[in-house]
Amino acid sequence: MQTVILRFDSLPSTNTEAAAHARRGAREGVCITAREQTAGRGRLQRAWSSPKDAGLYLSIVTRPPFELSKFPLLTFAAALAVRDALIEVYRLKIDIKYPNDVLINEKKVCGILAETVETATGTAAIIGIGINLARTAIAPDLPFATTIEHETGCAPDGEELLHAVINNFNNRYLTLALQDGDTLTLAAWASHSTFAENKTVRVTTHDESFIGTTRGLSSDGALRVEVDGKIKTVRVGDVTAVRATALQT
Ligand code: BT5
């Protein structure tokens, strides 16, 4: 994928802008970035804190050559790419939390929002990535969030990280597009996420909340969670780690 970066000072959301470009026929590899987002979005219309020059806010237009059933794995490919980039540039120890968070020291440094958009030339997928660079990226009311500045003690170079994320996403995307790309991507995700196996987690969906133990990913990318000896398959919702002490109280 050949990337073209379109830079904006301020946008409501780079994902919304990228979707508009895709509808107008933008080709795969168009990457929208903004110095700030005034209406940055997470899943379920949650807000993504995006103050000026405090984070990387980018959205890549993809036109996947594979079947729709593989699309959910784009989020995994993006999380793996962010992990690759953070290790390459900052040598940080990174974890990935199901389904769309990249963590440092158990705190969220990056969120990913993959969305599909119907266009005249087929379904495009917009891969939105937000990474907290400076301490000012997050308000104190986000205790489970962190920034690269906080973790490294240095003001980060967003430009170097932007290129590392794009290059690594290209590689992970090429892998996903292979015939056995789903298997390869799921295996890579599972080997780099402490959430894949044997982790006690709380799962919260719109209609239930339960605690169980993770038992890997299913072939379509759902998280398998064992509860009272039975496997529940989690496709949507929030997953958080539960500490042993929290279970006792
Ligand atoms: C996400 O949603 O984590 C996806 C975030 C995707 C943001 C990128 S930025 C570029 C592109 N353009 C957009 O408009 N979006 C994408 P979710 O899993 O629903 O998490 C949202 C929750 O994370 C919020 O409800 C807050 O609790 C928390 N949060 C908000 N801003 C944060 C930040 N900057 N860092 C860490 N956590 C944050």
Side-chain angles (χ1 to χ4, degrees), residues 11-89:
L11 284 174
S13 155
T14 56
N15 261 37
T16 308
E17 183 72 20
H21 280 257
R23 276 191 211 95
R24 292 199 298 265
R27 62 166 182 73
E28 175 163 275
V30 168
C31 174
I32 308 290
T33 68
R35 291 173 62 194
E36 72 171 353
Q37 296 184 115
T38 52
R41 292 184 283 115
R43 293 173 300 154
L44 307 168
Q45 303 304 316
R46 293 170 184 150
W48 183 258
S49 165
S50 317
K52 196 157 213 164
D53 296 329
L56 269 187
Y57 317 115
L58 67 128
S59 300
I60 304 171
V61 176
T62 66
R63 294 189 177 274
F66 41 77
E67 60 279 19
L68 275 170
S69 61
K70 246 181 175 183
F71 276 42
L73 304 189
L74 285 163
T75 299
F76 294 169
L80 285 164
V82 171
R83 175 186 180 274
D84 298 338
L86 290 173
I87 291 173
E88 199 174 293
V89 180

Side-chain angles (χ1 to χ4, degrees), residues 102-120:
V102 179
L103 310 182
I104 306 176
N105 290 323
E106 300 182 2
K107 293 190 170 181
K108 181 162 173 170
V109 71
C110 163
I112 291 157
L113 180 65
E115 298 177 304
T116 55
V117 48
E118 295 311 320
T119 78

Side-chain angles (χ1 to χ4, degrees), residues 158-233:
E159 201 54 29
E160 187 183 6
L161 184 61
L162 171 65
H163 288 283
V165 168
I166 288 171
N167 288 340
N168 283 293
F169 179 73
N170 281 347
N171 292 339
R172 294 285 180 183
Y173 181 68
L174 283 177
T175 301
L176 180 58
L178 296 172
Q179 186 94 49
D180 57 347
D182 41 0
T183 313
L184 294 170
T185 301
L186 290 167
W189 193 93
S191 71
H192 295 310
S193 169
T194 66
F195 283 77
E197 293 275 1
N198 288 323
K199 187 141 186 143
T200 307
V201 293
R202 173 177 290 283
V203 177
T204 308
T205 66
H206 63 284
D207 55 9
E208 63 175 342
S209 175
F210 57 87
I211 290 176
T213 307
T214 60
R215 296 286 182 237
L217 298 170
S218 62
S219 57
D220 62 353
L223 184 66
R224 290 156 45 85
V225 181
E226 184 179 333
V227 184
D228 298 331
K230 293 204 183 89
I231 298 290
K232 285 190 177 233
T233 306

Side-chain angles (χ1 to χ4, degrees), residues 18 26 126 157 159:
I126 309 300
D157 178 351
E159 201 54 29

